[in-house]
Amino acid sequence: MREWNDLIFEQLVWIVGGFVLLILWMLIWNLIQGSKLRKMKRRYELMMKGAGVQDLETLLIDLKMQQDKIEDVQEEQRQQLTQIQKWMPMQKSKIGIKRYNAFGEKGNDLSFSIAIINDQQDGVVLTGLYNRDGSFVYAKGLEKGESPHALSPEEREAIALAGLKK
């Protein structure tokens, strides 16, 4: 037992020196970490200064609620856009106009045919015939570019002109 005590006593200087170095290293480490923590706390306080909230948790919760509202609005807009895209091909947005002199009399091209159609060539053809005695306007419905009523060459040309529009 005495041998053990002598061995420990001989090494005691090294053991105490090692503990002193370990304590000094831990003290320096603690000071460095405290400095970093103070810098981080100052940056946190600076960031939260103009936010109008007390802590970061409240700020994050508010931001999450705002994000959820934005996502709801985006989903609603996405549905509206899908609905609009379904309606777009059916809109009567293509227009073709053909002016002509219907009766070959002296005068200007005062008669006309206007085709108003959609992408499927559904729509209407309006024809205005002008002569010296008066003016007459006729309307003919269209389905797939055809009408149950006879179409004149000028009306067919107006439909073709409208079909060329993009």
Side-chain angles (χ1 to χ4, degrees):
M1 184 73 147
R2 182 157 173 83
E3 293 173 6
W4 283 100
N5 285 339
D6 289 339
L7 180 65
I8 291 173
F9 187 71
E10 288 174 9
Q11 302 299 323
L12 189 60
V13 171
W14 293 106
I15 293 173
V16 170
F19 276 124
V20 168
L21 285 176
L22 181 64
I23 290 172
L24 283 175
W25 181 77
M26 290 177 80
L27 179 65
I28 292 170
W29 181 261
N30 192 14
L31 291 173
I32 291 171
Q33 292 302 318
S35 172
K36 288 181 180 179
L37 185 60
R38 281 188 295 279
K39 286 180 186 177
M40 189 181 306
K41 186 176 180 182
R42 279 194 301 264
R43 283 188 282 168
Y44 173 78
E45 288 173 352
L46 183 64
M47 177 184 73
M48 298 303 289
K49 189 175 186 179
V53 292
Q54 295 297 328
D55 58 356
L56 189 57
E57 180 181 10
T58 306
L59 179 64
L60 291 174
I61 291 171
D62 288 344
L63 288 175
K64 175 66 175 144
M65 290 171 50
Q66 289 175 4
Q67 180 184 3
D68 291 343
K69 288 178 185 177
I70 289 171
E71 288 173 354
D72 291 343
V73 169
Q74 282 181 332
E75 182 59 33
E76 183 180 326
Q77 289 173 343
R78 189 174 296 118
Q79 291 173 356
Q80 289 174 350
L81 184 60
T82 302
Q83 190 68 28
I84 289 170
Q85 287 173 339
K86 288 179 186 176
W87 291 340
M88 283 298 289
M90 299 183 330
Q91 299 301 308
K92 312 299 189 258
S93 61
K94 296 182 176 185
I95 299 173
I97 301 173
K98 171 67 178 167
R99 291 185 61 144
Y100 55 95
N101 188 348
F103 300 106
E105 300 171 3
K106 289 185 178 180
N108 296 326
D109 294 338
L110 297 177
S111 297
F112 63 89
S113 290
I114 299 176
I116 303 171
I117 60 173
N118 61 11
D119 289 340
Q120 290 81 27
Q121 290 198 338
D122 296 337
V124 66
V125 175
L126 299 173
T127 300
L129 299 176
Y130 176 81
N131 65 20
R132 290 184 181 175
D133 297 331
S135 179
F136 304 93
V137 178
Y138 302 96
K140 298 177 184 176
L142 292 174
E143 288 187 29
K144 309 259 186 278
E146 293 299 323
S147 175
H149 308 288
L151 294 173
S152 70
E154 291 83 5
E155 290 170 333
R156 290 191 186 280
E157 189 175 344
I159 293 168
L161 287 171
L164 295 175
K165 308 278 172 127
K166 291 188 180 187

